Amino acid sequence: VTENLYRNENYYPAKKMYTISGLVTSMEGPVEGANIRLGGLGGLTYPTDSQGRYSLEMAHGESGKLTVDKPGYEFTAYSIDIPPVTESRQFDFTGKVRKMKIRGRLMDGDQPVSEVRLTASNGGGVTVSDPQGKWLLEVPYDWTGEITMEKPGVEIDMVLLFDQPVTEDIDMTKPVPSVPDVRPGTMDRV
């Protein structure tokens, strides 16, 4: 053993590494493709897998801030401070799909049309126009589909078609709304 003590060899200690992992979920289930960022280590990004899982390595004593984001989602706590690491840890994030508002007003000439049931396909929801003919639907971020209308005693031959994903609120009551395709139609009393 004494003969190896003074050989000209360098030894470098390896840092102890720990796994930082977690889940990103919403009411709908796991959130795939969410971006987990770790500040303090160059802001590296770790995407979640199809099960909403992420995993990264941190050296003993390192600290940082985890943040999560994904277009169309809101997270209750979007950042978590990680104290100096001394063991593997799990940090989970919970979010919800953002709802985009589509609002409009139904008129027959200059008269508002109330009590019209508007149904948005593909999970977009249902609403009824108020006495001023105004209506509001909240659809999931990235929603596409159509809005159909019906009212007992009135034949409504009009469909609002949203073939581009809805990624912002739409106000169809404005003079120049960002409006979907409207299949021309009429509203006739039966």
Side-chain angles (χ1 to χ4, degrees):
V1 172
T2 56
E3 63 191 62
N4 290 334
L5 284 177
Y6 298 104
R7 287 180 122 175
N8 197 14
E9 293 182 19
N10 295 321
Y11 295 94
Y12 299 99
K15 284 193 171 189
K16 174 83 173 144
M17 299 300 287
Y18 297 103
T19 300
I20 304 299
S21 61
L23 292 171
V24 180
T25 58
S26 71
M27 296 280 291
E28 291 78 20
V31 178
E32 180 178 5
N35 294 310
I36 303 295
R37 286 190 181 81
L38 179 59
L41 289 179
L44 299 174
T45 300
Y46 304 87
T48 56
D49 65 16
S50 63
Q51 298 302 307
R53 295 181 299 231
Y54 72 91
S55 180
L56 57 103
E57 299 288 316
M58 289 182 73
H60 181 86
E62 287 182 328
S63 60
K65 179 180 285 219
L66 280 181
T67 59
V68 62
D69 72 84
K70 180 171 182 177
Y73 283 80
E74 296 171 343
F75 294 93
T76 49
Y78 70 93
S79 70
I80 297 173
D81 289 318
I82 300 177
V85 176
T86 58
E87 63 183 351
S88 292
R89 302 273 310 267
Q90 180 167 333
F91 298 96
D92 297 337
F93 293 94
T94 303
K96 66 179 182 176
V97 176
R98 284 183 55 209
K99 297 289 187 174
M100 309 316 301
K101 294 178 179 162
I102 302 174
R103 69 180 77 240
R105 186 168 187 202
L106 296 174
M107 302 292 289
D108 185 5
D110 61 352
Q111 296 299 308
V113 182
S114 63
E115 298 178 17
V116 174
R117 178 183 169 96
L118 295 100
T119 304
S121 65
N122 302 327
V126 176
T127 193
V128 175
S129 61
D130 69 13
Q132 288 80 39
K134 295 179 182 178
W135 55 271
L136 170 70
L137 279 166
E138 291 189 359
V139 299
Y141 181 90
D142 248 4
W143 177 83
T144 58
E146 58 186 39
I147 298 175
T148 57
M149 301 168 218
E150 63 183 349
K151 178 178 178 172
V154 178
E155 184 178 320
I156 303 172
D157 180 27
M158 181 171 29
V159 174
L160 302 176
L161 179 63
F162 294 80
D163 55 3
Q164 297 295 314
V166 177
T167 58
E168 59 186 45
D169 293 341
I170 296 174
D171 187 347
M172 296 171 56
T173 64
K174 302 242 181 210
V176 182
S178 54
V179 70
D181 291 337
V182 177
R183 293 185 191 154
T186 57
M187 199 176 321
D188 298 316
R189 303 216 183 267
V190 179

